[in-house]
Amino acid sequence: RGKPQPPFELVAPALDTLAHLIFSTDEEVLTDACWALSYLSDGPNEHIQAVIQAGVCFRLMELLAHPSPAVQTPALRTVGNIVTGDDLQTQVVINCGALRQLAELLGNQRKGIRKEACWTISNITAGSQDQIQTVLDANVVP
């Protein structure tokens, strides 16, 4: 989280531990683990790929529906960071059920979550023609 960020190769070993921590039932652990994933996924495609390969994407989609905004927010930021990657990386998120979750978040009472969901959807629609069509077919945007 510091500026400048530490070298990725020094923090990447934490991905395996974070992949376990996001299954915790403790809200504070979930929040901190999701924020850590968001920082690790905020960078070049190689960093995004390392986060994907840690096997966290499906669980992140589940956490988008968590009752606490403290967990939803960093989970959503991580998903948003992943879809800034290449089309294959974005497709992983789509395949994990992101569109249904993002559609739900567009109706969230918190403006920040709605804004982050819009940013994520906009990055998905910056992908391939098929990805744009998938967003349209899912009726994510009215």
Side-chain angles (χ1 to χ4, degrees):
R1 188 169 130 151
K3 298 286 182 187
Q5 290 183 334
F8 189 76
E9 60 273 6
L10 295 180
V11 292
L15 282 168
D16 288 339
T17 301
L18 292 169
H20 286 68
L21 290 175
I22 60 171
F23 285 91
S24 173
T25 56
D26 183 280
E27 184 178 319
E28 190 172 343
V29 171
L30 285 174
T31 300
D32 289 345
C34 286
W35 277 121
L37 288 169
S38 79
Y39 300 134
L40 291 171
S41 61
D42 184 16
N45 290 358
E46 296 77 23
H47 296 189
I48 292 169
Q49 191 60 37
V51 171
I52 291 170
Q53 288 176 329
V56 299
C57 289
F58 186 77
R59 178 62 176 155
L60 287 170
M61 298 318 134
E62 294 175 342
L63 293 174
L64 292 178
H66 195 277
S68 171
V71 174
Q72 280 182 317
T73 300
L76 180 55
R77 176 69 56 87
T78 305
V79 172
N81 287 343
I82 292 170
V83 300
T84 66
D86 63 33
D87 290 353
L88 292 174
Q89 292 167 331
T90 297
Q91 192 62 46
V92 169
V93 169
I94 293 170
N95 292 349
C96 288
L99 296 176
R100 182 176 45 83
Q101 296 292 358
L102 291 167
E104 287 289 320
L105 292 175
L106 290 176
N108 193 284
Q109 65 184 7
R110 292 180 174 265
K111 180 181 178 184
I113 289 178
R114 291 192 311 269
K115 178 180 169 186
E116 200 83 23
C118 285
W119 171 69
T120 302
I121 293 164
S122 76
N123 279 320
I124 293 171
T125 60
S128 71
Q129 187 68 38
D130 286 343
Q131 289 169 336
I132 295 167
Q133 192 61 53
T134 300
V135 171
L136 294 174
D137 292 345
N139 292 316
V140 173
V141 183

